[in-house]
């Protein structure tokens, strides 16, 4: 299990606009930094046409984290699959950038991909490959953490400003026991911002 001290600390709600600016800032900074480091490279056949960047060789290309085209219809489709409303901060997150890979935080949170026109299908594929039973228990998966954990919105808890707390499930426990991770998707990004800034600063120090 991930050490408890790495968990995101509890803070208040009600700062949606401020938090959304943090989410945008983290995403912009992350993709800019990874691109400068020479990352975001995948086999060409894995990259949607709209996201194809410069060729690396005959088989690989860079991919671009383009502006999202996720619509309200796409969000409703995900809600129908989850059987629960999408938290507003997560909706704004999905509506900001398309990406194929996104890993943030000291715990290595790897988000399910958000590709143009296939968002819900991709979420279904990722959920089926991890643990599809979580949704029937009102846990809504959206990311993998480390090697053995899944992050979910906990829809069993009463929402605050339509936001939901986040819990993790561990493969070693057969995904049975939820462990608190963060009060909300918004709050989680505070830790992401701190860790990303440390990562960038540490890299500069080595250059």
């Amino acid at each position: 299990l991930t050490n408890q001290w790495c968990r995101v600390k509890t803070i208040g709600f009600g700062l949606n606009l401020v938090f959304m600016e943090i989410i945008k800032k983290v995403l912009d900074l992350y993709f800019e930094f990874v691109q400068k480091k020479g990352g975001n490279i995948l086999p060409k056949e894995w990259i949607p046409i709209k996201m194809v960047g410069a060729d690396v060789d005959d088989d690989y290309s860079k991919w671009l984290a383009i502006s999202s085209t996720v619509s309200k219809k796409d969000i409703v489709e995900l809600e129908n699959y989850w059987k629960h409303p999408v938290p507003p901060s997560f909706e704004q997150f999905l509506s900001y950038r398309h990406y194929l890979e996104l890993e943030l935080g000291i715990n290595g949170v790897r988000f399910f991909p958000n590709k143009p026109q296939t968002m819900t299908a991709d979420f279904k594929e990722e959920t089926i490959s991890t643990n599809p039973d979580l949704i029937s228990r009102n846990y809504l998966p959206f990311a993998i953490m480390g090697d053995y954990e899944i992050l979910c919105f906990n829809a069993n808890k009463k929402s605050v400003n339509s936001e939901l707390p986040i819990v993790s499930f561990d493969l070693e426990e057969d995904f049975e026991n939820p462990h608190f991770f963060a009060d909300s998707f918004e709050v989680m990004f505070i830790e992401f911002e701190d860790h990303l800034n440390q990562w960038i600063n540490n890299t500069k120090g080595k250059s």
Side-chain angles (χ1 to χ4, degrees), residues 81 124 126-137 139 141:
Y81 174 59
K124 287 181 180 179
E126 294 287 341
T127 301
I128 291 171
S129 68
T130 52
N131 191 306
D133 294 334
L134 288 170
I135 293 178
S136 65
R137 296 163 56 194
Y139 296 106

Side-chain angles (χ1 to χ4, degrees), residues 45-99:
E45 63 268 21
W46 293 7
I47 306 173
I49 293 176
K50 294 180 179 179
M51 301 179 70
V52 174
D55 287 347
V56 175
D57 55 32
D58 290 341
D59 299 316
Y60 288 83
S61 291
K62 293 185 177 182
W63 60 266
L64 306 175
I66 61 174
S67 296
S68 176
T69 58
V70 168
S71 65
K72 189 62 182 178
K73 180 180 178 182
D74 297 319
I75 297 299
V76 170
E77 186 178 356
L78 180 58
E79 290 177 335
N80 289 338
Y81 174 59
W82 275 355
K83 297 180 175 60
H84 289 280
V86 171
S89 59
F90 192 58
E91 178 178 346
Q92 293 179 66
F93 166 81
L94 294 171
S95 301
Y96 186 60
R97 291 286 194 111
H98 285 300
Y99 58 84

